Amino acid sequence: MLEPALPRQIDNRKQPYQGLFSFIIGTSRKGRNVSIHCPYCGSTAKLVNGSIIYPHRPDLNFLKFWRCKPCDAYGRVTSDGSLPLGRLANAELRRSKKATHDAFDVHWFYENDKGKARRAAYARLASDMGIDVHDCHIGSFDLDQCRQARRIVN
């Protein structure tokens, strides 16, 4: 007989996201209860729908986000509805990630096989940045990594 899983705390400082949010696992839709903490102020982020983040975009109402209201930091949620996709980002980091995507995406977006071209572009970027390809995603980058990526791709 299997023992029931006990909640466990994960310290992301040992994970690729470098401690910018932490979470405790207990129960949710997939059997986990998640609490996300803001990397800027340490407050507990709230799970909100897209209408809170993008009130002018009704087509995004179905999306879920973790949001820290005092810092206006937020990040999309994984498909299972629990963990952040990338890191919570304040306005400065969101602008930097957008600029990084604008510079990076032109290197793969217009190719016929977009999936293959995107994977190859991320592999080159990871190599040039000196990081593992599995840790190379603009959604996970901090400000310094965004600047470094833009210098590389420009």
Side-chain angles (χ1 to χ4, degrees):
M1 180 169 162
L2 292 175
E3 299 275 330
L6 295 175
R8 60 189 175 109
Q9 184 164 349
I10 296 176
D11 180 357
N12 322 29
R13 287 175 288 210
K14 299 175 186 135
Q15 302 296 322
Y17 298 119
Q18 301 168 351
L20 287 183
F21 52 79
S22 60
F23 48 91
I24 300 170
I25 298 181
T27 59
S28 79
R29 282 190 335 168
K30 289 227 170 190
R32 294 184 285 188
N33 184 16
V34 179
S35 177
I36 304 297
H37 300 278
C38 176
Y40 303 100
C41 71
S43 297
T44 301
K46 303 283 187 230
L47 190 60
V48 300
N49 67 29
S51 66
I52 301 298
I53 303 298
Y54 298 108
H56 59 287
R57 296 279 312 269
D59 57 314
L60 301 179
N61 285 353
F62 70 95
L63 295 176
K64 298 290 184 197
F65 294 83
W66 284 105
R67 177 184 184 214
C68 175
K69 189 173 183 177
C71 297
D72 191 32
Y74 56 84
R76 283 257 324 266
V77 173
T78 55
S79 60
D80 76 353
S82 58
L83 302 178
L85 271 175
R87 58 178 69 220
L88 296 182
N90 64 8
E92 180 183 19
L93 182 54
R94 289 192 302 271
R95 283 190 301 272
S96 186
K97 290 198 290 187
K98 182 182 182 325
T100 305
H101 262 297
D102 290 347
F104 175 74
D105 290 351
V106 298
H107 294 279
W108 63 267
F109 188 79
Y110 298 103
E111 299 295 324
N112 287 333
D113 186 346
K114 287 181 177 38
K116 183 177 179 182
R118 183 175 184 264
R119 285 188 298 276
Y122 267 110
R124 285 191 306 271
L125 181 61
S127 176
D128 291 347
M129 290 180 73
I131 61 177
D132 187 275
V133 70
H134 296 100
D135 297 333
C136 188
H137 193 294
I138 294 168
S140 301
F141 286 178
D142 61 21
L143 283 171
D144 291 335
Q145 289 172 312
C146 285
R147 290 182 193 113
Q148 180 186 8
R150 286 195 307 272
R151 281 192 304 271
I152 290 168
V153 301
N154 285 330

